[in-house]
Amino acid sequence: MWKKEFYEPYGIEYCLNGRINAMTEDIIKALSESGCREIRMGFESGSFRIRKDILSKPITEDQMIKIYSLCDKYSLNTTSFTMMAIPDEKDFDVQETLRMTAKLKPNLIRLTFCYQFENTPLYDFVIKNNLLDESRYYAQMGYFEESPLKWDPEYEKKLMAYRYL
């Protein structure tokens, strides 16, 4: 509908948020032909363990590579939503995220600290494991500033350094 009513007569392009596991080559091709110029997708972490066990998002590396490659094939820019400071994350998990980001080569990277919204399984996990720093959780204005979790001070320094990389 967009192609017929907006793109062909007026040249109006758009971008959208998508899910890696919902994309297929046919969908990506149709999006490109209809005026879509960018797909924003969250792979969150380069660590399959984190994606599967903590985030309940068991998307494989092969799936991510395939979808990002198809976006390149059909001239769609990509933005990756990527997180760090995910509960139970270790330094090697962050390294996997950096490696995956380099491998996927998104046009734009939206790096945030993981933020556990109330009434979600992730929030329940954080509360159950006593990981939430309530003073930071309720004081911050978003998920770009710092992690709302309790971390070892040395790891916290690393997280802040990664933030600026």
Side-chain angles (χ1 to χ4, degrees):
M1 183 182 99
W2 185 272
K3 178 180 179 180
K4 182 180 175 187
E5 296 193 22
F6 298 101
Y7 185 59
E8 288 176 345
Y10 306 109
I12 299 173
E13 300 175 333
Y14 65 98
C15 66
L16 63 86
N17 289 349
R19 294 182 54 93
I20 292 169
N21 60 341
M23 293 291 156
T24 65
E25 183 165 5
D26 289 341
I27 290 171
I28 291 170
K29 181 179 179 192
L31 288 169
S32 178
E33 291 172 352
S34 71
C36 183
R37 291 299 163 249
E38 178 183 349
I39 299 178
R40 301 168 181 166
M41 299 174 285
F43 73 85
E44 321 313 356
S45 173
S47 166
F48 184 72
R49 176 186 72 83
I50 293 289
R51 288 192 310 274
K52 179 179 160 285
D53 297 341
I54 305 300
L55 301 175
S56 300
K57 193 173 190 174
I59 298 168
T60 68
E61 183 171 323
D62 289 342
Q63 285 175 294
M64 292 189 283
I65 291 168
K66 178 183 176 185
I67 296 306
Y68 274 74
S69 295
L70 288 170
C71 288
D72 287 340
K73 177 180 176 179
Y74 291 101
S75 301
L76 289 172
N77 290 324
T78 53
T79 294
S80 70
F81 294 123
T82 310
M83 293 188 292
M84 64 179 177
I86 300 167
D88 200 40
E89 181 180 76
K90 310 291 186 249
D91 195 44
F92 60 86
D93 296 310
V94 176
Q95 295 298 323
E96 285 296 296
T97 300
L98 297 174
R99 184 190 63 76
M100 180 57 65
T101 302
K103 189 177 255 189
L104 296 177
K105 297 181 178 129
N107 298 91
L108 181 65
I109 302 163
R110 294 289 310 246
L111 176 65
T112 63
F113 289 102
C114 183
Y115 190 85
Q116 299 72 41
F117 292 98
E118 292 182 33
N119 301 312
T120 65
L122 187 58
Y123 181 83
D124 295 341
F125 176 88
V126 165
I127 296 302
K128 177 182 174 189
N129 292 284
N130 193 30
L131 300 173
L132 189 66
D133 180 334
E134 289 189 17
S135 65
R136 286 197 281 192
Y137 184 76
Y138 294 110
Q140 62 180 272
M141 303 302 280
Y143 35 75
F144 294 102
E145 301 154 9
E146 64 183 351
S147 172
L149 301 182
K150 299 173 188 173
W151 295 101
D152 169 86
E154 289 302 311
Y155 188 66
E156 182 120 24
K157 286 180 189 176
K158 283 184 179 183
L159 287 173
M160 295 310 282
Y162 286 134
R163 174 183 179 214
Y164 291 105
L165 288 177

